[in-house]
Amino acid sequence: MPATDLWPDFQAPEAVNSPVFLLKEQAAKLKEKTKGLVLAGLRPASAPDGSFWVGFDLYSPALGEYTYRLFAITYPPEFVPVTLSDADGARKVETLDQFKALLESVLRSPRTKQVIEAIMAQATALGPEESSSYTPGILKD
Amino acid sequence: MAGFLFWNVRGRRLEPVLRRLTSRHKIDVLMLAECTIPEDSMLDALNANDRESFRRVPALASRGLDLYSRFDQGCFGSVLKEADHYFIRTLTPPGGIEIVLAMAHLASPSYKDLRARHSRFIGFASDIRDVERAAGNDRTVVVGDLNVNPFDDALLDVRGLSALADRNTVLRKDPRRFGRRQVEEFRLFYNPMWSHFGDAVQPAGTYYYDKSNPEVDPLWNIFDQVLLRPSVLDRFRNKNLKILTTDGTVSFIWDDGRPNGDVYSDHLPIWFQLDLRRRTSYASN
């Protein structure tokens, strides 16, 4: 007798429109735009209330264990609302479109640009390190 | 059994986590360091279940030391010694025996070198002895973020807390005596945290730090400790002490085992139980 299947059919994860997939896309774009000098690692964890927490960490293979936490987001399994926390504090948005707009403002901010250019300068000065083994995030692009 | 939990919460708002921990581990006495959670918010969380009856037990010590308990406030004696970094008072659970409870968050390595921290321990140990004399009770339990490791001199020095790793040795050697004509006696503590070092039982400690990068550094530390006088050892079993990494819903550690200080605390909580019931036959380890 076949085992009873009480589960519904699931949508493939790649097709799910969620905050973390938007972050993953931006991590890939960062690698492309900095020619691999600056990478972004997504560091997942559970938030105290059981919702998702993801840290967005900048690092460079040339800089060993150095990482810079650009921001972190928390969101429930329903994906919204999303709270983004960075040096400017915490901001909460109610929809994924609002999150996209907020993320764009953070990524395009003068502070983010300055931090990424500083990491690029530091990495260029110290030269590439092919064999760096440090991997700050498990969801690296 | 009386359940205790200590956690340096690093100023984080962890009310839901503390609610789950106190419920899951049947905590009677919740001890926190670096706590910035407002009393109302904490009590709302701890007493979310109608059956709970936590209340705050006031203390004046700083460094965010905070004490919440299911026990009636009358179970806690007045504070007998208090300093910036610790307070010492008696606790008599309902139907139980009186113990001396010393709760501490001692000076941080960020601000005081090891010699300075060692010096503080001399004063702390002296205050504990004073309280034991005043209370006529040496069933003393020290709990807190001591900011030194069990192997550091501050914890091994007989003029410090003199806390050893083996209970039989503690029972046999307490008090330690020095001198021939003028004999000095020093009381011992048992430090069960020694057994929690290393990776035989995860996690490898209560606190991980790799930022200062000195050449000699264990990286994993056990700053968060419980120390017991010989007279309470028959009330304690080693299996009733754990370094916690989850509240059953969320994990306080990263995948590699280090404390997730980004979301929770860079310290892990410690849970322990003491059998403080009045009785004639005691537990053995």
Side-chain angles (χ1 to χ4, degrees):
Chain A
M1 194 172 78
T4 307
D5 180 5
L6 301 176
W7 294 100
D9 292 328
F10 295 105
Q11 200 176 359
E14 287 75 13
V16 174
N17 185 23
S18 78
V20 75
F21 277 88
L22 188 54
L23 296 190
K24 209 173 173 195
E25 278 181 355
Q26 300 318 302
K29 287 289 177 196
L30 179 66
K31 182 180 180 182
E32 189 182 307
K33 297 186 88 159
T34 63
K35 297 183 171 55
L37 272 180
V38 185
L39 307 177
L42 307 190
R43 167 158 265 198
S46 302
D49 63 359
S51 59
F52 295 112
W53 180 95
V54 182
F56 193 89
D57 294 347
L58 303 178
Y59 66 102
S60 171
L63 299 181
E65 295 191 6
Y66 176 82
T67 60
Y68 183 90
R69 167 73 39 77
L70 193 60
F71 60 82
I73 61 169
T74 53
Y75 57 95
E78 303 82 34
F79 296 155
V80 287
V82 185
T83 302
L84 185 147
S85 306
D86 64 5
D88 295 330
R91 283 156 286 174
K92 190 174 181 178
V93 292
E94 299 296 333
T95 67
L96 286 174
D97 284 342
Q98 288 174 353
F99 173 61
K100 196 170 177 180
L102 173 61
L103 183 63
E104 184 175 17
S105 74
V106 171
L107 298 184
R108 288 179 173 271
S109 72
R111 183 177 70 88
T112 300
K113 190 165 185 290
Q114 192 267 323
V115 167
I116 290 173
E117 287 174 352
I119 296 173
M120 290 174 75
Q122 192 83 354
T124 303
L126 293 171
E129 188 178 296
E130 299 291 340
S131 60
S132 174
S133 60
Y134 183 63
T135 54
I138 66 165
L139 292 177
K140 291 195 305 129
D141 184 74
Chain B
M1 297 287 264
F4 297 80
L5 187 118
F6 172 80
W7 197 1
N8 178 336
V9 291
R10 202 194 189 192
R12 290 277 153 76
R13 295 295 298 264
L14 298 177
E15 292 98 316
V17 176
L18 292 166
R19 175 176 55 76
R20 289 191 290 266
L21 281 173
T22 52
S23 171
R24 179 180 165 99
H25 294 284
K26 297 182 170 54
I27 299 303
D28 297 301
V29 181
L30 174 65
M31 295 167 283
L32 302 169
E34 293 189 26
C35 180
T36 56
I37 301 171
E39 180 177 350
D40 289 351
S41 179
M42 179 70 93
L43 290 175
D44 284 348
L46 297 179
N47 296 327
N49 182 332
D50 289 342
R51 287 172 299 175
E52 302 293 4
S53 56
F54 274 94
R55 48 183 69 81
R56 184 162 183 253
V57 184
L60 295 173
S62 60
R63 293 176 63 77
L65 284 175
D66 229 336
L67 182 59
Y68 290 84
S69 180
R70 277 192 176 109
F71 297 144
D72 188 82
Q73 194 166 326
C75 295
F76 292 86
S78 57
V79 174
L80 296 167
K81 281 280 183 182
E82 192 159 40
D84 276 356
H85 295 71
Y86 56 83
F87 60 79
I88 311 171
R89 65 196 318 165
T90 59
L91 164 62
T92 313
I97 58 167
E98 181 188 84
I99 63 169
V100 173
L101 182 65
M103 183 179 159
H105 180 200
L106 299 181
S108 163
S110 305
Y111 304 106
K112 299 286 180 184
D113 65 19
L114 200 50
R115 285 192 306 171
R117 281 177 280 146
H118 185 160
S119 174
R120 292 278 180 98
F121 269 75
I122 307 298
F124 184 35
S126 172
D127 278 351
I128 290 172
R129 289 192 296 271
D130 287 348
V131 168
E132 288 175 334
R133 273 192 293 271
N137 180 354
D138 67 354
R139 289 189 290 265
T140 303
V141 179
V142 177
V143 187
D145 174 0
L146 305 184
N147 266 320
V148 296
N149 276 305
F151 51 77
D152 283 324
D153 288 354
L155 273 170
L156 296 176
D157 187 341
V158 292
R159 291 175 178 81
L161 290 185
S162 200
L164 305 183
D166 174 53
R167 73 164 65 209
N168 288 329
T169 304
V170 169
L171 290 169
R172 194 174 68 249
K173 300 289 280 185
D174 180 64
R176 295 195 69 190
R177 294 185 175 86
F178 294 84
R180 290 182 181 171
R181 292 181 184 170
Q182 299 292 323
V183 177
E184 280 188 285
E185 289 190 348
F186 301 96
R187 299 297 311 279
L188 294 174
F189 277 102
Y190 170 54
N191 187 351
M193 303 309 296
W194 277 93
S195 304
H196 291 262
F197 257 123
D199 60 0
V201 178
Q202 293 286 350
T206 66
Y207 178 75
Y208 179 90
Y209 189 76
D210 65 2
K211 299 291 190 293
S212 55
N213 211 29
E215 275 75 1
V216 180
D217 187 348
L219 300 179
W220 269 106
N221 303 276
I222 295 188
F223 288 166
D224 309 279
Q225 302 179 49
V226 179
L227 315 177
L228 303 130
R229 280 284 195 227
S231 49
V232 280
L233 287 187
D234 58 0
R235 304 283 180 162
F236 170 75
R237 294 179 182 223
N238 289 71
K239 71 179 178 65
N240 291 337
L241 189 157
K242 286 189 173 69
I243 300 170
L244 303 178
T245 58
T246 178
D247 62 5
T249 297
V250 300
S251 172
F252 315 141
I253 57 174
W254 296 114
D255 286 348
D256 61 11
R258 291 177 297 152
N260 178 348
D262 289 340
V263 182
Y264 300 96
S265 171
D266 48 1
H267 290 253
L268 293 173
I270 50 176
W271 161 85
F272 64 100
Q273 284 183 325
L274 296 173
D275 184 354
L276 300 179
R277 291 172 297 179
R278 290 181 195 279
R279 56 192 171 85
T280 51
S281 60
Y282 301 137
S284 59
N285 196 46

